[in-house]
Amino acid sequence: MPGKYSVSAIDEPCRRCKAMSVIVVRSEPLCHDCFARYVHTKAIKRLERFRVNFTATPDQQPRILLPLSLGVSSTTLLHVLDLHLKTQKSKTNRTGFVISVLLIDDVVQDPASAERLEKVRHQYPDHDYSSLPLHDVFRLVPDDASIRSLLPLPVDQAKLSTQEQLVSLISSLPSATARADVLSTLRTRLTVEFAKQAECESILWGDSTTRLAEKTLSETAKGRGFSLPWQISDGASPMGINFHYPMRDVLKKELVSYINLAEPELASLVYEPSSGATQASTSSKNTTIDDLMKQYFESVEENFPSIVSNVVRTTGKLAAPASMSLGQCCSLCSMPISDGRFGIHGWGGDQQDGVEPSHAEGSNKLCYGCTRSIPQFGSTPTTT
Amino acid sequence: MAPSPCALCHTNRALILRPKDHSKLCKTCFISVFETEIHHTITMNALFKRGEKIAIGASGGKDSTVLASVLKTLNERYDYGLDLILLSIDEGIKGYRDDSLETVKRNAEQYGMDLTILGYDELYGWTMDQVVEQVGKKGNCTYCGVFRRQALDRGAARLGVKHVVTGHNADDVAETVLMNLLRGDLPRLSRTTSIITSTPSASSDPASNTNIKRSKPLKYAYEKEIVLYAHHKHLDYFSTECIYSPEAFRGSARALIKNLERVRPSAILDVVRSGEDMAKLVPGSDEGCGGACSSNVPIAEEEEGGCGSAAGRTVGGDMENMEKQLAQNDTAADNDLEIEITAKSLQKAKQHNRHDSAAVPLANGKKTKKGVTPRKTNKQVMGQCKICGYLSSQEVCKACVLLEGLNKGRPKNKIEVGYEVQDVQQRDQGADGVADVMQRTSIGGD
Ligand SMILES: [Zn+2]
Ligand SMILES: [Zn+2]
Ligand SMILES: [Zn+2]
Ligand SMILES: [Zn+2]
């Protein structure tokens, strides 16, 4: 990993090899190579289950899906995994897994994003690449009614293209926070659906420690505290596929340093349009809960990195209820609901006497958090 | 723009934008819906029993004043059959409580409730002014904090009241949920989201300190609505600004809650809901019932970051201390030793400064993952303070330890406890350090 630029000299040499240090990581001065090894080790340590399996034939290797956002974290994850596979190959002439990369375009398919993905493919040519527009979620999710029923009524849904369906759903939402929430939920649904159809056995998410801490507080603030045991832990997810977070022990700022210290080719792949999240814009109507938490943890990780890690580690101790019947899931986010506690009514903090729980047709029901984002779904037809 | 009609009665002009859901209401409907919701909270959670005597912890501030007013209204309207009294604590700081206690006295008259004001001198034999005189300005907040935690319960026990209600509102609860997530303290998160808690005060004398129940009927009421209610009902309350800035964890949780409320008004309630749901997922927790069933009432916890507990700290001190501790543990873990680090174990190491924090032992040893060194089951058995009978994990409770020091001490030669307290306070800038000292000076420390 030749340096792109040298960081202002740090007095102490690398604590691991005495070479010139370029960065201080959790109060340990590290040289270029030791820092790279630090990031790699943290990620690879999480991939124990994907060791080379010598009894399997090459076509029996597990396929994993890497959802690429072109942000710092997922791009670094791809880079590290690519290196890892190359190492496996050179040592054993085999690899432990094969990678499918998926890029999702939010509303319309952007030609520029196809170009960006092409650049990535050029850099890491050994893997499969796909890109999908987000509205494909209406096409790919098999029980299409489950998501389509969320569309605002009355709409002759059959006549709408999937793109129009997405636009009509998003524009029916009451706030920027609700739109951001539903969009990211749909992105997860589409990713999972694609992974299943591509016969991937796991999804390897790029989330850093910092991002997982953000998610913990965001989901709490959105009323989805019940779902946290499934939201940030490694292993089987309720969506019927394994989730892994190989970057869970690396802070966002460490990944940014990694990109900055790596070959310029890596940095040039990253595309993170500034969402304005990092600027304090709390007065704006466009601020979302995710933005708030992002701002917050960006400041916390500066001086309190261990507190950020501790939030994630502690939240990981929340235990999914044993008696959970996985049959009862939210129609939007797919998280399991215990005791039929759908919607926002029927709990201590619900003060509307006599309001019946959600009257939505069929078996489609939303969890508490999703009902906050799509309130019209939970209301009775008479109160339009 | 034409004035819009009230969303509820469709008759009167809407004058109030309801903070909770931004609905437009007239004054009458706002007051009625605010009261009805608290009635709903009370009935849904079965907070009270007919004939029960309830002490309202009254400070003269907006929360407890609104609580007293609403409880009086509801008690009459729905015939709860409650015997409501006001209980105030006077720390004995000259000038500090004078105005608020005057407010409480007027409230007692306005609401026709009996009022008892108990001073620290009556409860502990020392006023805070006397404590300050003895130990100096810097260490005194520890005393105030420890004494305050027990004061309402001791006061209630003295009056023969088994149930104390406090004015904690939805904002307070939501703030505590976020704070405990940030601190990584799941057990406390679980306890503080409960609407009913109990302060078991084991005592050989059944008449003195038995199970005092605590509840917070305003748990789902927004702070902003409490202010609006007080305003429109012309309630007589004393607005005190807390003179201390909160510790960093609470401070940032509070800021987050305020920002969240701006982005999505329901967020405060949503955080409370998440907190309740998470409480059920805390390993070893007894929150399956949401804290509502009487057999499994969580132990009370003082969740307000009021004065006393926060005084004298440097902002950021608690976060800095925890960061330091965690970073040390991380270094140890780097040697391929997986060590479970939680605020809980941190607090155990430091002996948490709360009297009853360890009261609910977690089932630590139960779920042992492979490769994870199981945490030592350092179960603290709750017993009773051999001096005062109050529930304590030590042979002598913290209040009594402090009192012992005070009583032994003479102003001339600075007493040991007080001296060390100051010392550590300066060094650690946190009350946890003080707890350390108390652990060492207490007899039954493990
Ligand atoms: Zn080195
Ligand atoms: Zn949901
Ligand atoms: Zn009205
Ligand atoms: Zn005692």
Side-chain angles (χ1 to χ4, degrees):
Chain A
M1 204 169 92
K4 190 176 97 176
Y5 59 77
S6 57
V7 181
S8 57
I10 297 154
D11 288 345
E12 247 184 283
C14 173
R15 204 167 285 171
R16 298 187 181 181
C17 76
K18 303 297 168 209
M20 191 187 78
S21 57
V22 295
I23 188 172
V24 176
V25 179
R26 312 202 193 190
S27 62
E28 194 185 8
L30 292 181
C31 73
H32 200 280
D33 292 359
C34 288
F35 174 58
R37 205 167 301 126
Y38 165 90
V39 172
H40 297 174
T41 312
K42 293 231 171 216
I44 301 307
K45 211 171 67 189
R46 290 277 161 193
L47 297 174
E48 279 288 291
R49 69 184 275 138
F50 302 108
R51 270 178 308 207
V52 174
N53 176 2
F54 292 97
T55 59
T57 61
D59 60 316
Q60 284 176 321
Q61 291 180 75
R63 176 172 291 276
I64 60 101
L65 184 80
L66 194 160
L68 186 71
S69 69
L70 296 172
V72 165
S73 307
S74 61
T75 310
T76 307
L77 178 61
L78 176 60
H79 179 78
V80 171
L81 291 182
D82 183 76
L83 269 177
H84 183 56
L85 289 187
K86 285 189 173 117
T87 313
Q88 284 184 335
K89 187 107 187 164
S90 70
K91 279 188 184 158
T92 67
N93 207 27
R94 286 164 184 256
T95 56
F97 55 95
V98 292
I99 300 175
S100 283
V101 177
L102 173 67
L103 182 72
I104 293 176
D105 280 331
D106 255 7
V107 179
V108 283
Q109 233 165 342
D110 179 1
S113 106
E115 247 169 69
R116 285 181 208 112
L117 188 62
E118 203 42 54
K119 249 173 96 180
V120 177
R121 186 205 305 267
H122 183 75
Q123 185 76 13
Y124 308 107
D126 301 340
H127 320 294
D128 296 332
Y129 291 84
S130 314
S131 75
L132 291 175
L134 182 54
H135 56 78
D136 265 2
V137 72
F138 292 105
R139 190 172 58 81
L140 283 189
V141 170
D143 174 22
D144 58 358
S146 76
I147 292 186
R148 278 199 200 154
S149 69
L150 305 175
L151 294 171
L153 297 169
V155 167
D156 193 350
Q157 294 161 18
K159 282 191 192 143
L160 291 180
S161 69
T162 50
Q163 182 172 343
E164 288 165 326
Q165 287 173 6
L166 180 64
V167 170
S168 99
L169 172 61
I170 298 304
S171 55
S172 74
L173 302 178
S175 65
T177 272
R179 288 188 288 274
D181 182 50
V182 171
L183 281 174
S184 80
T185 306
L186 291 177
R187 226 172 282 133
T188 306
R189 290 291 300 270
L190 179 57
T191 306
V192 166
E193 217 38 62
F194 178 84
K196 285 181 181 168
Q197 295 186 11
E199 296 184 329
C200 297
E201 73 118 66
S202 295
I203 300 177
L204 268 51
W205 301 96
D207 304 40
S208 62
T209 313
T210 317
R211 172 80 193 99
L212 290 174
E214 283 166 33
K215 202 156 130 191
T216 297
L217 266 79
S218 263
E219 293 301 315
T220 302
K222 293 177 195 168
R224 281 201 204 90
F226 75 94
S227 73
L228 282 173
W230 299 284
Q231 293 261 20
I232 62 163
S233 37
D234 285 338
S237 84
M239 307 177 86
I241 192 163
N242 294 317
F243 282 5
H244 291 275
Y245 300 89
M247 293 299 188
R248 67 159 58 249
D249 295 325
V250 190
L251 295 166
K252 174 75 189 274
K253 66 173 181 187
E254 292 167 350
L255 292 173
V256 170
S257 302
Y258 181 92
I259 291 269
N260 288 336
L261 289 167
E263 303 91 343
E265 290 78 28
L266 177 56
S268 76
L269 299 178
V270 172
Y271 176 71
E272 249 178 3
S274 61
S275 61
T278 40
Q279 292 122 41
S281 57
T282 45
S283 59
S284 157
K285 265 214 153 23
N286 292 323
T287 310
T288 66
I289 290 176
D290 296 334
D291 290 342
L292 282 179
M293 295 309 176
K294 191 168 178 217
Q295 280 167 28
Y296 179 69
F297 278 103
E298 268 174 14
S299 74
V300 176
E301 79 165 359
E302 226 18 79
N303 295 310
F304 307 104
S306 306
I307 284 175
V308 179
S309 316
N310 195 49
V311 168
V312 179
R313 194 160 32 204
T314 315
T315 313
K317 293 203 180 100
L318 290 173
S323 59
M324 183 65 72
S325 78
L326 291 180
Q328 292 266 72
C329 288
C330 171
S331 295
L332 179 57
C333 71
S334 305
M335 288 299 148
I337 314 277
S338 63
D339 320 322
R341 281 158 59 90
F342 289 96
I344 53 172
H345 297 301
W347 66 295
D350 170 32
Q351 326 237 274
Q352 278 171 284
D353 241 330
V355 175
E356 289 296 305
S358 153
H359 276 147
E361 310 96 82
S363 56
N364 293 312
K365 287 171 179 170
L366 295 184
C367 73
Y368 182 94
C370 289
T371 309
R372 285 288 183 214
S373 284
I374 314 190
Q376 66 270 27
F377 184 76
S379 56
T380 54
T382 45
T383 59
T384 27
Chain B
M1 222 175 79
S4 36
C6 168
L8 285 178
C9 63
H10 306 290
T11 316
N12 298 335
R13 225 176 107 181
L15 287 171
I16 296 173
L17 184 66
R18 212 186 156 190
K20 199 177 223 168
D21 57 10
H22 283 196
S23 58
K24 291 172 188 151
L25 302 181
C26 71
K27 185 179 139 184
T28 318
C29 286
F30 169 73
I31 286 172
S32 126
V33 82
F34 182 84
E35 290 166 351
T36 309
E37 289 186 357
I38 292 163
H39 169 63
H40 196 66
T41 302
I42 290 168
T43 51
M44 205 163 171
N45 294 284
L47 291 190
F48 304 133
K49 288 196 293 275
R50 168 163 285 278
E52 206 174 1
K53 189 169 186 178
I54 310 280
I56 301 167
S59 66
K62 60 175 170 29
D63 297 311
S64 60
T65 302
V66 165
L67 179 61
S69 166
V70 170
L71 284 185
K72 178 189 165 61
T73 303
L74 296 178
N75 193 31
E76 287 162 7
R77 182 180 304 158
Y78 298 101
D79 189 25
Y80 292 161
L82 299 177
D83 180 8
L84 298 168
I85 63 162
L86 298 170
L87 172 59
S88 293
I89 303 297
D90 183 358
E91 296 90 342
I93 305 172
K94 225 178 187 63
Y96 173 63
R97 280 281 178 217
D98 294 358
D99 292 333
S100 52
L101 287 177
E102 282 313 308
T103 311
V104 179
K105 284 178 197 161
R106 287 196 302 276
N107 290 158
E109 261 171 49
Q110 289 152 359
Y111 305 146
M113 292 178 191
D114 285 340
L115 164 66
T116 307
I117 301 176
L118 282 172
Y120 274 15
D121 51 345
E122 291 163 87
L123 291 169
Y124 301 108
W126 291 79
T127 67
M128 273 314 291
D129 281 342
Q130 290 167 332
V131 173
V132 171
E133 213 173 289
Q134 175 98 313
V135 305
K137 278 224 151 100
K138 277 203 171 121
N140 71 75
C141 63
T142 313
Y143 291 83
C144 194
V146 170
F147 288 170
R148 182 191 301 255
R149 248 156 250 147
Q150 292 187 5
L152 276 178
D153 299 320
R154 287 182 182 232
R158 217 172 248 227
L159 299 173
V161 179
K162 298 286 176 60
H163 191 162
V164 178
V165 290
T166 56
H168 291 107
N169 58 41
D171 299 52
D172 296 331
V173 177
E175 181 182 303
T176 306
V177 168
L178 292 193
M179 183 182 76
N180 284 316
L181 270 178
L182 292 172
R183 299 168 46 109
D185 193 339
L186 293 180
R188 209 196 303 180
L189 182 149
S190 154
R191 290 195 293 276
T192 50
T193 50
S194 184
I195 192 165
I196 307 173
T197 52
S198 75
T199 307
S201 311
S203 169
S204 43
D205 176 7
S208 71
N209 272 340
T210 35
N211 260 347
I212 307 279
K213 192 163 132 189
R214 283 226 202 177
S215 63
K216 21 187 190 243
L218 302 184
K219 181 185 173 190
Y220 301 110
Y222 276 37
E223 188 174 278
K224 282 183 178 166
E225 302 201 354
I226 288 170
V227 174
L228 275 176
Y229 183 85
H231 172 77
H232 288 289
K233 289 274 283 187
H234 307 290
L235 298 187
D236 181 5
Y237 70 93
F238 182 73
S239 44
T240 31
E241 285 295 312
C242 179
I243 54 173
Y244 303 111
S245 40
E247 37 188 321
F249 276 118
R250 184 170 292 279
S252 50
R254 186 168 298 171
L256 275 175
I257 292 293
K258 296 271 173 267
N259 286 333
L260 283 170
E261 186 185 16
R262 224 170 290 152
V263 168
R264 183 185 263 184
S266 71
I268 292 176
L269 205 54
D270 300 344
V271 171
V272 174
R273 164 70 180 246
S274 281
E276 290 180 6
D277 286 344
M278 281 187 269
K280 297 176 198 156
L281 308 174
V282 175
S285 113
D286 52 8
E287 300 294 291
C289 55
C293 57
S294 52
S295 61
N296 263 339
V297 176
I299 305 301
E301 190 96 32
E302 201 56 63
E303 59 261 55
E304 58 205 323
C307 318
S309 67
R313 295 183 189 194
T314 307
V315 173
D318 61 337
M319 277 180 109
E320 270 159 34
N321 284 341
M322 186 162 175
E323 175 65 26
K324 241 183 271 168
Q325 283 274 352
L326 289 167
Q328 277 169 19
N329 291 348
D330 281 345
T331 315
D334 262 357
N335 312 335
D336 270 345
L337 266 172
E338 284 243 43
I339 296 175
E340 285 209 60
I341 304 126
T342 62
K344 175 109 186 152
S345 60
L346 259 182
Q347 283 158 6
K348 266 195 183 150
K350 296 182 106 189
Q351 172 62 20
H352 191 276
N353 63 337
R354 286 186 195 221
H355 183 88
D356 46 14
S357 70
V360 180
L362 276 190
N364 285 335
K366 258 191 194 164
K367 241 185 76 184
T368 312
K369 275 176 273 162
K370 211 185 141 206
V372 174
T373 318
R375 218 181 303 153
K376 255 189 283 162
T377 8
N378 183 12
K379 212 185 267 178
Q380 274 174 307
V381 182
M382 294 308 276
Q384 61 190 82
C385 170
K386 71 175 187 183
I387 295 176
C388 72
Y390 200 88
L391 190 90
S392 170
S393 59
Q394 310 288 326
E395 260 182 71
V396 175
C397 78
K398 272 174 204 154
C400 289
V401 171
L402 289 174
L403 283 172
E404 230 180 323
L406 284 171
N407 294 334
K408 254 195 292 185
R410 290 285 162 268
K412 239 178 101 192
N413 57 326
K414 278 208 173 172
I415 51 135
E416 210 189 322
V417 173
Y419 192 76
E420 281 194 52
V421 162
Q422 282 188 50
D423 200 3
V424 170
Q425 190 86 19
Q426 282 166 328
R427 196 151 32 83
D428 271 355
Q429 300 182 333
D432 284 346
V434 173
D436 243 331
V437 175
M438 291 194 297
Q439 164 109 7
R440 271 185 271 128
T441 49
S442 69
I443 303 144
D446 49 5

